[in-house]
Amino acid sequence: MSNSIKTVVVVGGGAAGWITAGRIAAQHNAKQGDIKVKLIESPNVPIIGVGEGTWPTMRNTLIQLGISETDFIRECDASFKQGAKFAKWVTGAEDDFYYHPLILPQGFTKGNIAPYWQMQKHQIGKSFSDAVCFQEALCEQGLAPKSIRTPEFSAIANYAYHLDAGKFAQLLQRQCTQVLGVEHILGDVINVKSAVNGDVAAVITQQQGSIEGDLFVDCSGFKSLLLGEHLGVPFKPCNDVLFIDNAIAVQVPYATDNAPIASHTISTGQNAGWIWDIGLQHRRGVGYVYSSHHSSEAAAMDALATYVGPQFKDLSVRHIPIQSGHRQQFWKNNVVAVGLAAGFLEPLEASALVLIELSAEMIAQQLPARREVMDIVAKRFNSTFLYRWDRIIDFLKLHYVLTQRTDSAFWQDNTDPASIPDSLNELMQLWRYHPPYDHDFTSNNEVFPAASYQYVLYGMGFESDLAPIQHTLTQTEFANTQFQLNQQNIAQVVAKLPSNRELLNKIREYGLQQL
Amino acid sequence: MAKLVALNNKQHQHLHIDTQLAEAEGADLHLVPVVLSEFMKLVVSYPIVFSKNGDTGEFMCSALMGLEEGENLFYEKGQWQSIYIPLQLARQPFFLGHDNQAVSADNSSSEQAQNLVMCINESHASVISQASTNTHSAPNHNETQEPLFNETGEATSYLQAQQNRLVQLLQGEQQTHDFIATLLDMQLITAIALEITLADGSSHKVNGLYSIDEEKLAQISDAQLILLKQKHYLSPIYTLIASTSHIYSLINKKNQRIEQGAKWFQAATL
Ligand SMILES: Cc1cc2nc3c(=O)[nH]c(=O)nc-3n(C[C@H](O)[C@H](O)[C@H](O)COP(=O)(O)OP(=O)(O)OC[C@H]3O[C@@H](n4cnc5c(N)ncnc54)[C@H](O)[C@@H]3O)c2cc1C
């Protein structure tokens, strides 16, 4: 161990490990040997292999890692994701749904049209997201967010991806080892050698002996080998807020080769949780995340079987227990945890990979040059990410608190004030009279933009009491123009964009251009 | 619907092609695909640009004919106002197709090329099944009608010229494909942002056009330069760059059309 930070050792070869190793290696020129990045992966412990929904940040992550979008789409069975459709979250009725798209409401940077929508919603006759954003129409019609002429990573409608987690890890591994200069070590970490100051001096592997490093990134999954087990940083559960504690997952083949591929995640409320439905090119990933306090495993299996249909009996079901919560701090001594080793809440809104990307970015950009300054970076990292985890918890809980479902204890318990964090409660109070907007979110470290809160709030049927602020609502004309512009945008994009399946097939055949 | 059949001097002996109608195919195209070997002729009139194939997204070379979709500023009053018409239009209504009977199970590309035969789109508007007699059509129409075969069934010089065009296109497509791949590889292609203000004050953005990045071209390595020279790409590169200034003549043409339109409008309202 030296005083300069020259060797970074990443433990774990899931998405967290490879993304973090890759970002550090790219930023610090590991290829030229300026610093060394080593990734140790157990040949015996498989990666979790779920986690198929992403945020648009993934486009930038791929760019930073030097991965072409064409390769990514071809090799990871990937497809385009234009947000999420939440079905049966409000009333549970068959026709109950709303969208959380990935495009800001029309004119959002110039003015807030949300209160005008609320005042005129009966005349407008459209849901909030459909009235202010053209993306819902694209999703409902199964259209892609771009055309074959749109260059790599460029968009006509903002998008993220759905991907095959196993294939994604393989592609990341190849790029990291063959292009970015990451050294890949297959070995089981069985012990840790400590320095006097409590730092990790080396990890001892069963197969490759001792591996020394200056900074250790713990990406060992739920085990949290270095941060949790070795350094003893406590886990902060949040199952008093978010009740999901189990997942059952299946991979569902398409009926035909040319079946449509949804270009959004479909999340359907159930008795004791919700079912995710993610369309890849060659199969769907479907899973039920539920609360074991509100449902037996057998009942959950029945619900998933009903959702999937007759073919369910031929599919193999994976069971994954979830403990929702996170470590009390993420960087201690010379160990920083990223991914499941740092924590996990529930798959809602695909917030796990985005946190991995944000963590990897901050570590790569602020990698301490010497050990003396590491504690300062650690402190900043901890406060940034504690803030982010809290905001994500608030945002996920927001999806549940406004439900009108009374058909099961799961939904009723979710509206219990005791289960709502104070920070979320405060925002909800504020929004009773002030339609949510940018100025409610003042930190540089927000994960979800104000627009996302609007989509979820209004999607869930929220209304502010506008009477006290009526005198400030003088932009009716501006708002009406935006509603009209959105109508025009819908007509335009619907006319020119291909179906999601058609575009993906074309990318497989011709690839996307770089410009 | 296009009706595509292999050309044959018995079946098609009496066919005539109205060349003016054949070329009318390009009347509302603002981009016409072109090949490298015609750059020298194109540069006299048209801006040569890169654009993307709508079906595949792949780059191709095109002559720019207008400033918006559906607009061909070189086509007026039912004919081309230009001395050179790109091969892709001039070859109409003929094309090269596979002779189905002759194609064996082996489709290696050389085999395929050998099996290409000249075909005709029988339902193309320019195809006239019998030479129109003087009594039935205007005399000037007759001048643009070309027979395919003479009485003994030999190809006329018109048909031979069409054949040559098809061959030039076939070879040109491969060469152009490699030209583009080479430039992409050297990152020499760049998007051009055209923002045009017209005589009537309206402004237009023309999207989807690409050209050669002259700054980057000035900085290519010696090895790259030698490669471009060996492949004979230096001439088309500079021809393409020089042709870009024709965009100004397109703007002029467009302004003229607008003025004519305005006059017409005035006349109509008087
Ligand atoms: C049901 C479910 C659904 C999810 N859906 C989403 C989603 O839609 N979107 C999203 O963003 N995220 C989702 N996630 C989270 C996502 O799956 C993870 O955040 C992501 O896969 C990263 O995992 P990881 O790399 O941290 O851990 P893992 O993939 O578990 O990798 C752990 C690595 O550590 C290695 N390892 C373990 N022990 C040792 C040892 N002793 N020595 C050496 N190596 C060791 C293993 O070999 C493995 O390589 C979901 C998670 C679950 C459970």
Side-chain angles (χ1 to χ4, degrees), chain A residues 12-16 41-42 45 47-48 50-53 187-189 219-221 223 225 247 276 339-340 344 347 350 352-353 356:
Chain A
E41 183 184 10
S42 161
V45 184
I47 64 167
I48 188 144
V50 283
E52 307 186 319
D188 285 289
V189 172
C219 299
S220 60
K223 242 187 255 167
L225 211 59
W276 81 77
L340 300 175
F344 182 64
L353 285 166
I356 291 170

PDB file of all heavy atoms in Angstrom, chain A residues 12-16 41-42 45 47-48 50-53 187-189 219-221 223 225 247 276 339-340 344 347 350 352-353 356, ligand 1:
ATOM      1  N   GLY A  12     -15.926  -7.926  -7.243  1.00  0.00           N
ATOM      2  CA  GLY A  12     -17.255  -8.224  -7.768  1.00  0.00           C
ATOM      3  C   GLY A  12     -17.356  -7.899  -9.244  1.00  0.00           C
ATOM      4  O   GLY A  12     -16.911  -6.837  -9.678  1.00  0.00           O
ATOM      5  N   GLY A  13     -17.939  -8.817 -10.017  1.00  0.00           N
ATOM      6  CA  GLY A  13     -18.012  -8.666 -11.476  1.00  0.00           C
ATOM      7  C   GLY A  13     -19.434  -8.617 -11.989  1.00  0.00           C
ATOM      8  O   GLY A  13     -19.742  -9.108 -13.071  1.00  0.00           O
ATOM      9  N   GLY A  14     -20.329  -7.981 -11.216  1.00  0.00           N
ATOM     10  CA  GLY A  14     -21.673  -7.701 -11.737  1.00  0.00           C
ATOM     11  C   GLY A  14     -21.655  -6.344 -12.429  1.00  0.00           C
ATOM     12  O   GLY A  14     -20.587  -5.765 -12.676  1.00  0.00           O
ATOM     13  N   ALA A  15     -22.850  -5.831 -12.717  1.00  0.00           N
ATOM     14  CA  ALA A  15     -22.931  -4.531 -13.395  1.00  0.00           C
ATOM     15  C   ALA A  15     -22.194  -3.465 -12.587  1.00  0.00           C
ATOM     16  O   ALA A  15     -21.477  -2.624 -13.144  1.00  0.00           O
ATOM     17  CB  ALA A  15     -24.395  -4.136 -13.596  1.00  0.00           C
ATOM     18  N   ALA A  16     -22.329  -3.508 -11.257  1.00  0.00           N
ATOM     19  CA  ALA A  16     -21.699  -2.490 -10.424  1.00  0.00           C
ATOM     20  C   ALA A  16     -20.177  -2.537 -10.576  1.00  0.00           C
ATOM     21  O   ALA A  16     -19.519  -1.509 -10.783  1.00  0.00           O
ATOM     22  CB  ALA A  16     -22.094  -2.683  -8.957  1.00  0.00           C
ATOM     23  N   GLU A  41     -13.315 -11.365  -9.359  1.00  0.00           N
ATOM     24  CA  GLU A  41     -14.662 -11.916  -9.449  1.00  0.00           C
ATOM     25  C   GLU A  41     -14.635 -13.367  -9.016  1.00  0.00           C
ATOM     26  O   GLU A  41     -13.751 -14.128  -9.418  1.00  0.00           O
ATOM     27  CB  GLU A  41     -15.137 -11.805 -10.902  1.00  0.00           C
ATOM     28  CG  GLU A  41     -16.543 -12.286 -11.108  1.00  0.00           C
ATOM     29  CD  GLU A  41     -16.967 -12.270 -12.575  1.00  0.00           C
ATOM     30  OE1 GLU A  41     -16.098 -12.059 -13.452  1.00  0.00           O
ATOM     31  OE2 GLU A  41     -18.158 -12.481 -12.838  1.00  0.00           O
ATOM     32  N   SER A  42     -15.606 -13.745  -8.219  1.00  0.00           N
ATOM     33  CA  SER A  42     -15.677 -15.136  -7.791  1.00  0.00           C
ATOM     34  C   SER A  42     -16.114 -16.016  -8.953  1.00  0.00           C
ATOM     35  O   SER A  42     -17.097 -15.722  -9.630  1.00  0.00           O
ATOM     36  CB  SER A  42     -16.682 -15.282  -6.652  1.00  0.00           C
ATOM     37  OG  SER A  42     -17.067 -16.633  -6.533  1.00  0.00           O
ATOM     38  N   VAL A  45     -19.595 -17.617  -7.289  1.00  0.00           N
ATOM     39  CA  VAL A  45     -20.823 -16.888  -6.961  1.00  0.00           C
ATOM     40  C   VAL A  45     -21.314 -16.167  -8.215  1.00  0.00           C
ATOM     41  O   VAL A  45     -20.654 -15.269  -8.720  1.00  0.00           O
ATOM     42  CB  VAL A  45     -20.555 -15.834  -5.856  1.00  0.00           C
ATOM     43  CG1 VAL A  45     -21.864 -15.142  -5.458  1.00  0.00           C
ATOM     44  CG2 VAL A  45     -19.882 -16.477  -4.654  1.00  0.00           C
ATOM     45  N   ILE A  47     -23.451 -13.640 -10.686  1.00  0.00           N
ATOM     46  CA  ILE A  47     -24.014 -12.304 -10.505  1.00  0.00           C
ATOM     47  C   ILE A  47     -25.522 -12.450 -10.335  1.00  0.00           C
ATOM     48  O   ILE A  47     -26.097 -13.473 -10.668  1.00  0.00           O
ATOM     49  CB  ILE A  47     -23.694 -11.373 -11.701  1.00  0.00           C
ATOM     50  CG1 ILE A  47     -24.349 -11.886 -12.988  1.00  0.00           C
ATOM     51  CG2 ILE A  47     -22.203 -11.236 -11.882  1.00  0.00           C
ATOM     52  CD1 ILE A  47     -24.319 -10.854 -14.100  1.00  0.00           C
ATOM     53  N   ILE A  48     -26.155 -11.391  -9.831  1.00  0.00           N
ATOM     54  CA  ILE A  48     -27.593 -11.518  -9.532  1.00  0.00           C
ATOM     55  C   ILE A  48     -28.410 -11.738 -10.803  1.00  0.00           C
ATOM     56  O   ILE A  48     -29.400 -12.454 -10.794  1.00  0.00           O
ATOM     57  CB  ILE A  48     -28.095 -10.324  -8.708  1.00  0.00           C
ATOM     58  CG1 ILE A  48     -29.533 -10.571  -8.233  1.00  0.00           C
ATOM     59  CG2 ILE A  48     -28.018  -9.031  -9.481  1.00  0.00           C
ATOM     60  CD1 ILE A  48     -29.826 -10.036  -6.879  1.00  0.00           C
ATOM     61  N   VAL A  50     -30.481 -10.112 -12.549  1.00  0.00           N
ATOM     62  CA  VAL A  50     -31.708  -9.387 -12.869  1.00  0.00           C
ATOM     63  C   VAL A  50     -31.326  -7.911 -12.923  1.00  0.00           C
ATOM     64  O   VAL A  50     -30.176  -7.556 -12.690  1.00  0.00           O
ATOM     65  CB  VAL A  50     -32.832  -9.617 -11.839  1.00  0.00           C
ATOM     66  CG1 VAL A  50     -33.485 -10.962 -12.047  1.00  0.00           C
ATOM     67  CG2 VAL A  50     -32.310  -9.454 -10.424  1.00  0.00           C
ATOM     68  N   GLY A  51     -32.291  -7.051 -13.174  1.00  0.00           N
ATOM     69  CA  GLY A  51     -31.958  -5.630 -13.286  1.00  0.00           C
ATOM     70  C   GLY A  51     -31.880  -5.297 -14.750  1.00  0.00           C
ATOM     71  O   GLY A  51     -30.817  -5.231 -15.349  1.00  0.00           O
ATOM     72  N   GLU A  52     -33.034  -5.117 -15.354  1.00  0.00           N
ATOM     73  CA  GLU A  52     -33.088  -4.978 -16.799  1.00  0.00           C
ATOM     74  C   GLU A  52     -33.584  -3.616 -17.246  1.00  0.00           C
ATOM     75  O   GLU A  52     -33.575  -3.306 -18.419  1.00  0.00           O
ATOM     76  CB  GLU A  52     -33.983  -6.079 -17.372  1.00  0.00           C
ATOM     77  CG  GLU A  52     -33.549  -7.454 -16.881  1.00  0.00           C
ATOM     78  CD  GLU A  52     -34.300  -8.596 -17.530  1.00  0.00           C
ATOM     79  OE1 GLU A  52     -35.519  -8.475 -17.703  1.00  0.00           O
ATOM     80  OE2 GLU A  52     -33.653  -9.596 -17.874  1.00  0.00           O
ATOM     81  N   GLY A  53     -34.022  -2.793 -16.290  1.00  0.00           N
ATOM     82  CA  GLY A  53     -34.522  -1.468 -16.652  1.00  0.00           C
ATOM     83  C   GLY A  53     -33.496  -0.418 -16.270  1.00  0.00           C
ATOM     84  O   GLY A  53     -32.821  -0.531 -15.253  1.00  0.00           O
ATOM     85  N   GLY A 187     -11.207 -15.155  -8.682  1.00  0.00           N
ATOM     86  CA  GLY A 187     -10.820 -15.672  -7.373  1.00  0.00           C
ATOM     87  C   GLY A 187     -11.892 -15.380  -6.348  1.00  0.00           C
ATOM     88  O   GLY A 187     -12.650 -14.421  -6.493  1.00  0.00           O
ATOM     89  N   ASP A 188     -11.956 -16.239  -5.312  1.00  0.00           N
ATOM     90  CA  ASP A 188     -12.885 -15.982  -4.212  1.00  0.00           C
ATOM     91  C   ASP A 188     -12.153 -15.251  -3.109  1.00  0.00           C
ATOM     92  O   ASP A 188     -11.146 -15.747  -2.595  1.00  0.00           O
ATOM     93  CB  ASP A 188     -13.410 -17.308  -3.641  1.00  0.00           C
ATOM     94  CG  ASP A 188     -14.424 -17.923  -4.578  1.00  0.00           C
ATOM     95  OD1 ASP A 188     -15.526 -17.364  -4.668  1.00  0.00           O
ATOM     96  OD2 ASP A 188     -14.108 -18.948  -5.231  1.00  0.00           O
ATOM     97  N   VAL A 189     -12.668 -14.079  -2.752  1.00  0.00           N
ATOM     98  CA  VAL A 189     -12.075 -13.374  -1.615  1.00  0.00           C
ATOM     99  C   VAL A 189     -12.488 -14.118  -0.350  1.00  0.00           C
ATOM    100  O   VAL A 189     -13.690 -14.295  -0.089  1.00  0.00           O
ATOM    101  CB  VAL A 189     -12.554 -11.912  -1.579  1.00  0.00           C
ATOM    102  CG1 VAL A 189     -12.083 -11.248  -0.295  1.00  0.00           C
ATOM    103  CG2 VAL A 189     -12.054 -11.156  -2.800  1.00  0.00           C
ATOM    104  N   CYS A 219     -18.049  -4.322  -4.653  1.00  0.00           N
ATOM    105  CA  CYS A 219     -19.200  -4.558  -5.541  1.00  0.00           C
ATOM    106  C   CYS A 219     -19.593  -6.017  -5.428  1.00  0.00           C
ATOM    107  O   CYS A 219     -19.887  -6.687  -6.429  1.00  0.00           O
ATOM    108  CB  CYS A 219     -18.849  -4.209  -6.982  1.00  0.00           C
ATOM    109  SG  CYS A 219     -18.404  -2.482  -7.211  1.00  0.00           S
ATOM    110  N   SER A 220     -19.550  -6.529  -4.198  1.00  0.00           N
ATOM    111  CA  SER A 220     -19.731  -7.971  -3.998  1.00  0.00           C
ATOM    112  C   SER A 220     -21.193  -8.368  -3.890  1.00  0.00           C
ATOM    113  O   SER A 220     -21.505  -9.482  -3.489  1.00  0.00           O
ATOM    114  CB  SER A 220     -18.968  -8.408  -2.750  1.00  0.00           C
ATOM    115  OG  SER A 220     -19.477  -7.709  -1.619  1.00  0.00           O
ATOM    116  N   GLY A 221     -22.105  -7.464  -4.207  1.00  0.00           N
ATOM    117  CA  GLY A 221     -23.524  -7.826  -4.179  1.00  0.00           C
ATOM    118  C   GLY A 221     -24.090  -7.727  -2.771  1.00  0.00           C
ATOM    119  O   GLY A 221     -23.514  -7.075  -1.895  1.00  0.00           O
ATOM    120  N   LYS A 223     -23.968  -9.394  -0.295  1.00  0.00           N
ATOM    121  CA  LYS A 223     -23.066  -9.771   0.801  1.00  0.00           C
ATOM    122  C   LYS A 223     -22.352  -8.577   1.414  1.00  0.00           C
ATOM    123  O   LYS A 223     -22.033  -8.591   2.596  1.00  0.00           O
ATOM    124  CB  LYS A 223     -22.015 -10.728   0.247  1.00  0.00           C
ATOM    125  CG  LYS A 223     -22.078 -12.083   0.898  1.00  0.00           C
ATOM    126  CD  LYS A 223     -20.922 -12.922   0.438  1.00  0.00           C
ATOM    127  CE  LYS A 223     -21.447 -13.937  -0.555  1.00  0.00           C
ATOM    128  NZ  LYS A 223     -20.429 -14.624  -1.299  1.00  0.00           N
ATOM    129  N   LEU A 225     -19.238  -7.598   1.213  1.00  0.00           N
ATOM    130  CA  LEU A 225     -18.094  -8.293   1.808  1.00  0.00           C
ATOM    131  C   LEU A 225     -17.151  -7.389   2.585  1.00  0.00           C
ATOM    132  O   LEU A 225     -16.774  -7.682   3.713  1.00  0.00           O
ATOM    133  CB  LEU A 225     -17.335  -8.958   0.654  1.00  0.00           C
ATOM    134  CG  LEU A 225     -16.608 -10.245   0.911  1.00  0.00           C
ATOM    135  CD1 LEU A 225     -17.575 -11.310   1.396  1.00  0.00           C
ATOM    136  CD2 LEU A 225     -15.935 -10.697  -0.391  1.00  0.00           C
ATOM    137  N   ALA A 247     -38.879 -11.271  -4.483  1.00  0.00           N
ATOM    138  CA  ALA A 247     -39.133 -11.198  -5.927  1.00  0.00           C
ATOM    139  C   ALA A 247     -39.213 -12.610  -6.474  1.00  0.00           C
ATOM    140  O   ALA A 247     -38.463 -13.496  -6.045  1.00  0.00           O
ATOM    141  CB  ALA A 247     -38.010 -10.436  -6.620  1.00  0.00           C
ATOM    142  N   TRP A 276     -43.352  -6.380 -12.694  1.00  0.00           N
ATOM    143  CA  TRP A 276     -42.657  -5.665 -13.763  1.00  0.00           C
ATOM    144  C   TRP A 276     -42.719  -6.493 -15.036  1.00  0.00           C
ATOM    145  O   TRP A 276     -42.743  -7.714 -14.996  1.00  0.00           O
ATOM    146  CB  TRP A 276     -41.215  -5.321 -13.375  1.00  0.00           C
ATOM    147  CG  TRP A 276     -40.204  -6.420 -13.524  1.00  0.00           C
ATOM    148  CD1 TRP A 276     -39.632  -6.873 -14.684  1.00  0.00           C
ATOM    149  CD2 TRP A 276     -39.629  -7.220 -12.470  1.00  0.00           C
ATOM    150  NE1 TRP A 276     -38.735  -7.885 -14.420  1.00  0.00           N
ATOM    151  CE2 TRP A 276     -38.711  -8.116 -13.075  1.00  0.00           C
ATOM    152  CE3 TRP A 276     -39.783  -7.257 -11.091  1.00  0.00           C
ATOM    153  CZ2 TRP A 276     -37.966  -9.047 -12.338  1.00  0.00           C
ATOM    154  CZ3 TRP A 276     -39.037  -8.172 -10.356  1.00  0.00           C
ATOM    155  CH2 TRP A 276     -38.154  -9.057 -10.984  1.00  0.00           C
ATOM    156  N   GLY A 339     -23.419  -0.458  -5.811  1.00  0.00           N
ATOM    157  CA  GLY A 339     -24.343  -1.511  -6.242  1.00  0.00           C
ATOM    158  C   GLY A 339     -25.043  -2.133  -5.043  1.00  0.00           C
ATOM    159  O   GLY A 339     -25.248  -1.488  -4.008  1.00  0.00           O
ATOM    160  N   LEU A 340     -25.396  -3.395  -5.178  1.00  0.00           N
ATOM    161  CA  LEU A 340     -26.150  -4.071  -4.117  1.00  0.00           C
ATOM    162  C   LEU A 340     -25.372  -4.062  -2.804  1.00  0.00           C
ATOM    163  O   LEU A 340     -25.958  -4.093  -1.726  1.00  0.00           O
ATOM    164  CB  LEU A 340     -26.487  -5.502  -4.542  1.00  0.00           C
ATOM    165  CG  LEU A 340     -27.344  -5.613  -5.813  1.00  0.00           C
ATOM    166  CD1 LEU A 340     -27.513  -7.078  -6.229  1.00  0.00           C
ATOM    167  CD2 LEU A 340     -28.711  -4.958  -5.609  1.00  0.00           C
ATOM    168  N   PHE A 344     -30.137  -1.725  -1.563  1.00  0.00           N
ATOM    169  CA  PHE A 344     -31.142  -1.931  -2.618  1.00  0.00           C
ATOM    170  C   PHE A 344     -32.506  -1.658  -2.011  1.00  0.00           C
ATOM    171  O   PHE A 344     -32.743  -1.954  -0.851  1.00  0.00           O
ATOM    172  CB  PHE A 344     -31.073  -3.361  -3.160  1.00  0.00           C
ATOM    173  CG  PHE A 344     -32.050  -3.612  -4.286  1.00  0.00           C
ATOM    174  CD1 PHE A 344     -31.928  -2.934  -5.486  1.00  0.00           C
ATOM    175  CD2 PHE A 344     -33.103  -4.510  -4.123  1.00  0.00           C
ATOM    176  CE1 PHE A 344     -32.843  -3.140  -6.531  1.00  0.00           C
ATOM    177  CE2 PHE A 344     -34.010  -4.723  -5.156  1.00  0.00           C
ATOM    178  CZ  PHE A 344     -33.881  -4.040  -6.359  1.00  0.00           C
ATOM    179  N   PRO A 347     -37.231  -2.736  -7.266  1.00  0.00           N
ATOM    180  CA  PRO A 347     -36.934  -2.402  -8.672  1.00  0.00           C
ATOM    181  C   PRO A 347     -37.700  -1.190  -9.211  1.00  0.00           C
ATOM    182  O   PRO A 347     -37.388  -0.716 -10.300  1.00  0.00           O
ATOM    183  CB  PRO A 347     -37.350  -3.655  -9.439  1.00  0.00           C
ATOM    184  CG  PRO A 347     -37.532  -4.724  -8.425  1.00  0.00           C
ATOM    185  CD  PRO A 347     -37.826  -4.062  -7.122  1.00  0.00           C
ATOM    186  N   ALA A 350     -36.388   1.671 -11.581  1.00  0.00           N
ATOM    187  CA  ALA A 350     -35.027   1.314 -12.005  1.00  0.00           C
ATOM    188  C   ALA A 350     -33.961   2.206 -11.387  1.00  0.00           C
ATOM    189  O   ALA A 350     -33.069   2.707 -12.065  1.00  0.00           O
ATOM    190  CB  ALA A 350     -34.932   1.372 -13.532  1.00  0.00           C
ATOM    191  N   ALA A 352     -31.621   1.408  -9.202  1.00  0.00           N
ATOM    192  CA  ALA A 352     -30.366   0.792  -8.749  1.00  0.00           C
ATOM    193  C   ALA A 352     -29.214   1.068  -9.712  1.00  0.00           C
ATOM    194  O   ALA A 352     -28.153   1.544  -9.304  1.00  0.00           O
ATOM    195  CB  ALA A 352     -30.562  -0.712  -8.562  1.00  0.00           C
ATOM    196  N   LEU A 353     -29.430   0.771 -11.005  1.00  0.00           N
ATOM    197  CA  LEU A 353     -28.332   0.990 -11.952  1.00  0.00           C
ATOM    198  C   LEU A 353     -27.960   2.463 -12.037  1.00  0.00           C
ATOM    199  O   LEU A 353     -26.791   2.807 -12.179  1.00  0.00           O
ATOM    200  CB  LEU A 353     -28.698   0.430 -13.336  1.00  0.00           C
ATOM    201  CG  LEU A 353     -28.640  -1.101 -13.435  1.00  0.00           C
ATOM    202  CD1 LEU A 353     -29.342  -1.594 -14.698  1.00  0.00           C
ATOM    203  CD2 LEU A 353     -27.194  -1.593 -13.426  1.00  0.00           C
ATOM    204  N   ILE A 356     -25.644   3.237  -9.365  1.00  0.00           N
ATOM    205  CA  ILE A 356     -24.321   2.674  -9.683  1.00  0.00           C
ATOM    206  C   ILE A 356     -23.579   3.622 -10.632  1.00  0.00           C
ATOM    207  O   ILE A 356     -22.405   3.939 -10.430  1.00  0.00           O
ATOM    208  CB  ILE A 356     -24.477   1.277 -10.334  1.00  0.00           C
ATOM    209  CG1 ILE A 356     -24.998   0.278  -9.302  1.00  0.00           C
ATOM    210  CG2 ILE A 356     -23.161   0.812 -10.947  1.00  0.00           C
ATOM    211  CD1 ILE A 356     -25.409  -1.071  -9.886  1.00  0.00           C
TER     212      ILE A 356
HETATM  213  C1  LIG C   1     -35.638  -8.480  -8.329  1.00  0.00           C
HETATM  214  C2  LIG C   1     -34.692  -7.404  -8.731  1.00  0.00           C
HETATM  215  C3  LIG C   1     -34.999  -6.598  -9.812  1.00  0.00           C
HETATM  216  C4  LIG C   1     -34.151  -5.556 -10.169  1.00  0.00           C
HETATM  217  N1  LIG C   1     -34.504  -4.731 -11.199  1.00  0.00           N
HETATM  218  C5  LIG C   1     -33.712  -3.679 -11.464  1.00  0.00           C
HETATM  219  C6  LIG C   1     -34.047  -2.774 -12.508  1.00  0.00           C
HETATM  220  O1  LIG C   1     -35.046  -2.923 -13.203  1.00  0.00           O
HETATM  221  N2  LIG C   1     -33.227  -1.736 -12.733  1.00  0.00           N
HETATM  222  C7  LIG C   1     -32.102  -1.533 -12.007  1.00  0.00           C
HETATM  223  O2  LIG C   1     -31.420  -0.549 -12.234  1.00  0.00           O
HETATM  224  N3  LIG C   1     -31.738  -2.402 -11.077  1.00  0.00           N
HETATM  225  C8  LIG C   1     -32.504  -3.461 -10.768  1.00  0.00           C
HETATM  226  N4  LIG C   1     -32.117  -4.330  -9.805  1.00  0.00           N
HETATM  227  C9  LIG C   1     -30.815  -4.140  -9.171  1.00  0.00           C
HETATM  228  C10 LIG C   1     -29.711  -4.655 -10.087  1.00  0.00           C
HETATM  229  O3  LIG C   1     -29.935  -6.012 -10.380  1.00  0.00           O
HETATM  230  C11 LIG C   1     -28.349  -4.509  -9.458  1.00  0.00           C
HETATM  231  O4  LIG C   1     -28.207  -3.230  -8.937  1.00  0.00           O
HETATM  232  C12 LIG C   1     -27.257  -4.720 -10.460  1.00  0.00           C
HETATM  233  O5  LIG C   1     -27.418  -5.951 -11.119  1.00  0.00           O
HETATM  234  C13 LIG C   1     -25.881  -4.668  -9.853  1.00  0.00           C
HETATM  235  O6  LIG C   1     -25.609  -5.780  -9.067  1.00  0.00           O
HETATM  236  P1  LIG C   1     -24.194  -5.864  -8.377  1.00  0.00           P
HETATM  237  O7  LIG C   1     -23.144  -5.791  -9.404  1.00  0.00           O
HETATM  238  O8  LIG C   1     -24.140  -4.900  -7.264  1.00  0.00           O
HETATM  239  O9  LIG C   1     -24.214  -7.315  -7.708  1.00  0.00           O
HETATM  240  P2  LIG C   1     -24.126  -8.772  -8.354  1.00  0.00           P
HETATM  241  O10 LIG C   1     -24.636  -8.813  -9.715  1.00  0.00           O
HETATM  242  O11 LIG C   1     -24.751  -9.687  -7.346  1.00  0.00           O
HETATM  243  O12 LIG C   1     -22.581  -9.087  -8.419  1.00  0.00           O
HETATM  244  C14 LIG C   1     -21.832  -9.475  -7.290  1.00  0.00           C
HETATM  245  C15 LIG C   1     -20.456  -9.901  -7.721  1.00  0.00           C
HETATM  246  O13 LIG C   1     -19.647 -10.132  -6.600  1.00  0.00           O
HETATM  247  C16 LIG C   1     -18.921 -11.324  -6.756  1.00  0.00           C
HETATM  248  N5  LIG C   1     -18.598 -11.878  -5.443  1.00  0.00           N
HETATM  249  C17 LIG C   1     -19.444 -12.164  -4.435  1.00  0.00           C
HETATM  250  N6  LIG C   1     -18.746 -12.686  -3.410  1.00  0.00           N
HETATM  251  C18 LIG C   1     -17.437 -12.694  -3.773  1.00  0.00           C
HETATM  252  C19 LIG C   1     -16.234 -13.127  -3.166  1.00  0.00           C
HETATM  253  N7  LIG C   1     -16.223 -13.641  -1.948  1.00  0.00           N
HETATM  254  N8  LIG C   1     -15.093 -13.003  -3.853  1.00  0.00           N
HETATM  255  C20 LIG C   1     -15.074 -12.495  -5.093  1.00  0.00           C
HETATM  256  N9  LIG C   1     -16.176 -12.073  -5.711  1.00  0.00           N
HETATM  257  C21 LIG C   1     -17.348 -12.190  -5.062  1.00  0.00           C
HETATM  258  C22 LIG C   1     -19.832 -12.216  -7.557  1.00  0.00           C
HETATM  259  O14 LIG C   1     -19.093 -13.217  -8.229  1.00  0.00           O
HETATM  260  C23 LIG C   1     -20.427 -11.204  -8.516  1.00  0.00           C
HETATM  261  O15 LIG C   1     -19.554 -11.059  -9.614  1.00  0.00           O
HETATM  262  C24 LIG C   1     -32.944  -5.373  -9.447  1.00  0.00           C
HETATM  263  C25 LIG C   1     -32.625  -6.216  -8.409  1.00  0.00           C
HETATM  264  C26 LIG C   1     -33.480  -7.215  -8.023  1.00  0.00           C
HETATM  265  C27 LIG C   1     -33.126  -8.088  -6.882  1.00  0.00           C
END
